[in-house]
Amino acid sequence: MAVKTLDLSVEINGFEMKNPIITASGTYGYNNEFDVFCDVKALGAIVTKGITLEPRSGNEGERIFETTGGMINRIGLENIGIEAFLKEKLPVLNKCGIDFILNIAGNTPEDYIKLAQIAQKNNIKAIELNVSCPNVQHGCIEFGTNKQTLYELVQMVRKNYEHCLIVKLSPNVTSAEEIAEAAQNGGADAVSAINTVRGMGVKLDFLNGRFKKTTVSGGLSGQCIKPVALSFVDRISKVIDIPIIAIGGITSFEDVLEFFSVGAKAVQIGTANFTHPNAAEKLVNDLKKFMIQYNFSNLSELQQAVKGV
Ligand SMILES: Cc1cc2nc3c(=O)[nH]c(=O)nc-3n(C[C@H](O)[C@H](O)[C@H](O)COP(=O)(O)O)c2cc1C
């Protein structure tokens, strides 16, 4: 009996991924660091740690707080900057044949434009605009919470970048629908959602008859945010036509199917990489196994079947 070939591929404006499992920015390094745990090339793509024009050392003090079903981080976009990325990381990505999406962030629209121009010049085939980081003082989330500002930013970047342009949305907004529409109308090829949810951890110690309080305010991620992400993706899928890449607490194959059922075309895995560094590769294998077992030959067939229920 002939063996059916499986087609799990996803294509967004010329950017081709062999499957819909992607690792999320800030949780998987810059290039092949996770090769010691799994086959990074087996993934649809990786999203690089967020890159800014200049290197950033990030926030001082406590940056991570473990909480029920997740974690809070206030890393503050620590990164090596675009110059070092091009010099040290890009050659490794190209040499290893890893499909990747460059995540970029800035303080001003000009920062985003310059980074997009650099990506264009260096033939980088996909970028993700981080307009949703809650952990920095200026820029970034300011662009992702106002629909007019976001629309104008995406439009400016679009004029300077012709390949796959993904806009990463924040859940910390009043109207998910309006923000997603602004990204689409500005010229995005896809949106990814969600970035972290604004949160706070409090640790109280009682020492020598007095309370001592430590707090960490930042972005909440992990399994506890999955319901927020499902609701966000479900709502925006009803108003935009461009592909949605779902992010938020995805850990298991069932999670992936749930996000397909509300309209996602691909998914990103974030915090789960910290507990199981091969989590994303396992999801690729689980997806393949399910499709073979239940006779789905291509991804859109599976996505339509689960969406139509
Ligand atoms: C430690 C850490 C660092 C992150 N850094 C970035 C970043 O640089 N750029 C970005 O767009 N998102 C960043 N994120 C957000 C993730 O990419 C993702 O959107 C979020 O964690 C939700 O997915 P998850 O619940 O699967 O982790 C970071 C998340 C964590 C936990």
Side-chain angles (χ1 to χ4, degrees):
M1 198 173 77
V3 180
K4 261 191 175 182
T5 50
L6 272 188
D7 180 5
L8 279 79
S9 65
V10 179
E11 189 265 338
I12 307 173
N13 186 14
F15 180 62
E16 286 183 13
M17 295 180 276
K18 51 180 96 61
N19 62 63
I21 309 293
I22 306 166
T23 50
S25 180
T27 67
Y28 214 69
Y30 293 100
N31 52 29
N32 67 341
E33 291 96 332
F34 275 63
D35 260 347
V36 285
F37 304 109
C38 63
D39 180 10
V40 176
K41 279 199 308 301
L43 305 176
I46 70 163
V47 184
T48 66
K49 170 67 191 157
I51 301 280
T52 49
L53 273 180
E54 301 298 330
R56 286 176 59 101
S57 50
N59 291 325
E60 298 201 337
E62 301 260 349
R63 292 170 158 207
I64 298 283
F65 189 97
E66 270 192 59
T67 185
T68 314
M71 62 181 276
I72 295 166
N73 89 81
R74 53 177 292 279
I75 306 290
L77 280 181
E78 174 180 353
N79 77 94
I80 58 174
I82 190 70
E83 213 172 289
F85 174 82
L86 294 176
K87 211 164 138 203
E88 295 160 24
K89 309 294 179 184
L90 185 60
V92 181
L93 284 162
N94 288 336
K95 188 167 162 237
C96 296
I98 296 170
D99 291 314
F100 72 97
I101 298 165
L102 179 72
N103 180 289
I104 60 173
N107 294 327
T108 63
E110 290 69 35
D111 288 356
Y112 285 93
I113 291 168
K114 277 187 197 150
L115 285 161
Q117 288 170 338
I118 294 170
Q120 178 72 35
K121 199 169 146 216
N122 285 276
N123 206 21
I124 291 173
K125 297 291 189 207
I127 60 174
E128 181 178 61
L129 301 195
N130 179 1
V131 287
S132 43
C133 178
N135 299 323
V136 287
Q137 299 249 301
H138 302 290
C140 218
I141 198 165
E142 290 166 23
F143 298 108
T145 48
N146 178 298
K147 61 179 179 180
Q148 185 60 25
T149 316
L150 181 66
Y151 169 75
E152 285 167 15
L153 178 76
V154 176
Q155 237 191 359
M156 282 186 269
V157 172
R158 178 77 286 173
K159 284 188 188 135
N160 289 277
Y161 186 72
E162 67 185 20
H163 304 298
C164 174
L165 170 58
I166 303 164
V167 177
K168 185 167 180 178
L169 304 180
S170 169
N172 307 310
V173 292
T174 316
S175 169
E177 291 90 340
E178 286 184 2
I179 285 290
E181 278 175 328
Q184 173 172 278
N185 296 340
D189 295 310
V191 293
S192 53
I194 55 176
N195 207 320
T196 54
V197 180
R198 215 177 261 275
M200 179 181 186
V202 176
K203 183 170 173 283
L204 290 171
D205 291 305
F206 193 66
L207 286 173
N208 304 326
R210 281 166 166 248
F211 279 109
K212 181 175 174 281
K213 182 162 91 170
T214 314
T215 62
V216 175
S217 291
L220 179 66
S221 65
Q223 283 178 298
C224 59
I225 70 165
K226 194 184 88 176
V228 179
L230 276 170
S231 163
F232 195 99
V233 172
D234 183 50
R235 279 177 288 148
I236 67 173
S237 73
K238 296 189 169 87
V239 296
I240 59 171
D241 308 316
I242 53 177
I244 301 170
I245 302 172
I247 325 168
I250 299 172
T251 309
S252 66
F253 173 63
E254 288 71 24
D255 294 338
V256 175
L257 282 186
E258 287 171 28
F259 278 100
F260 288 165
S261 85
V262 294
K265 287 275 173 279
V267 294
Q268 289 184 19
I269 319 303
T271 303
N273 297 312
F274 298 141
T275 28
H276 298 290
N278 63 345
E281 189 186 22
K282 182 173 181 308
L283 292 180
V284 175
N285 294 333
D286 289 351
L287 181 59
K288 284 182 185 163
K289 265 189 227 148
F290 184 90
M291 288 178 61
I292 292 168
Q293 186 175 0
Y294 295 104
N295 225 13
F296 289 101
S297 54
N298 70 60
L299 185 68
S300 49
E301 224 177 79
L302 170 66
Q303 288 177 332
Q304 269 159 26
V306 70
K307 203 173 168 217
V309 294

